[in-house]
Amino acid sequence: FLDIDGSKKLNSKFTESVVDKTLLPDLQGIIDRLCMHRGAGYRHGGEEFVILLPNCSVQETATFAEKVRRQISDNDFCVEQMQVQVTVSVGVAGWPLQGDTLTAVVEKANELEHTAKELGKNRVSIAIS
């Protein structure tokens, strides 16, 4: 579960409509390229994404999540001709250890994403067991 850090500030500065049309497609493109042949990334709500990686352990997924986090933070996004730096916080959970349904696993990953934000943002929080 991945969420843009400071999304409210971005939406206030540029408006949600502008962010939705400019930054979010570019972010989705990064996620799609990284997920190719491994899984898929889906927009989930406003500025949130869910990445599904079948047949990967939580540790493999955590390594992948860190790669996604780094790629996004190293990228310059363009919003209304302005260069914008974006970071994300990510929560990693896996089936069946963190839930026996997709909904339960996504909810656990969402909790862990909130933990990552509470610990300072721009980080990955991983389910222990």
Side-chain angles (χ1 to χ4, degrees):
F1 199 95
L2 179 148
D3 188 27
I4 297 174
D5 296 327
S7 59
K8 289 179 184 175
K9 187 175 178 182
L10 286 169
N11 288 335
S12 293
K13 183 173 183 174
F14 298 109
T15 76
E16 285 181 41
S17 178
V18 169
V19 170
D20 287 354
K21 290 177 189 172
T22 57
L23 187 138
L24 294 182
D26 291 343
L27 187 69
Q28 180 74 54
I30 291 171
I31 291 169
D32 289 346
R33 281 190 299 282
L34 291 171
C35 287
M36 192 177 300
H37 309 297
R38 296 199 63 174
Y42 304 93
R43 185 130 168 237
H44 183 78
E47 292 85 20
E48 300 166 329
F49 295 84
V50 172
I51 297 174
L52 301 175
L53 300 176
N55 304 314
C56 289
S57 69
V58 170
Q59 190 54 51
E60 290 170 316
T61 304
T63 300
F64 183 81
E66 182 59 31
K67 181 178 181 179
V68 171
R69 187 202 61 74
R70 270 194 324 271
Q71 284 278 323
I72 291 169
S73 68
D74 290 347
N75 194 65
D76 286 329
F77 294 90
C78 186
V79 180
E80 292 190 327
Q81 291 92 35
M82 292 182 65
Q83 296 292 345
V84 177
Q85 290 292 137
V86 174
T87 62
V88 294
S89 294
V90 185
V92 175
W95 176 86
L97 294 175
Q98 284 78 47
D100 58 357
T101 66
L102 176 61
T103 300
V105 174
V106 170
E107 286 174 2
K108 181 63 176 176
N110 190 7
E111 286 176 28
L112 291 161
E113 172 265 317
H114 285 283
T115 300
K117 285 191 182 290
E118 290 168 4
L119 294 172
K121 301 180 183 173
N122 192 27
R123 62 183 62 225
V124 176
S125 182
I126 307 159
I128 303 299
S129 60

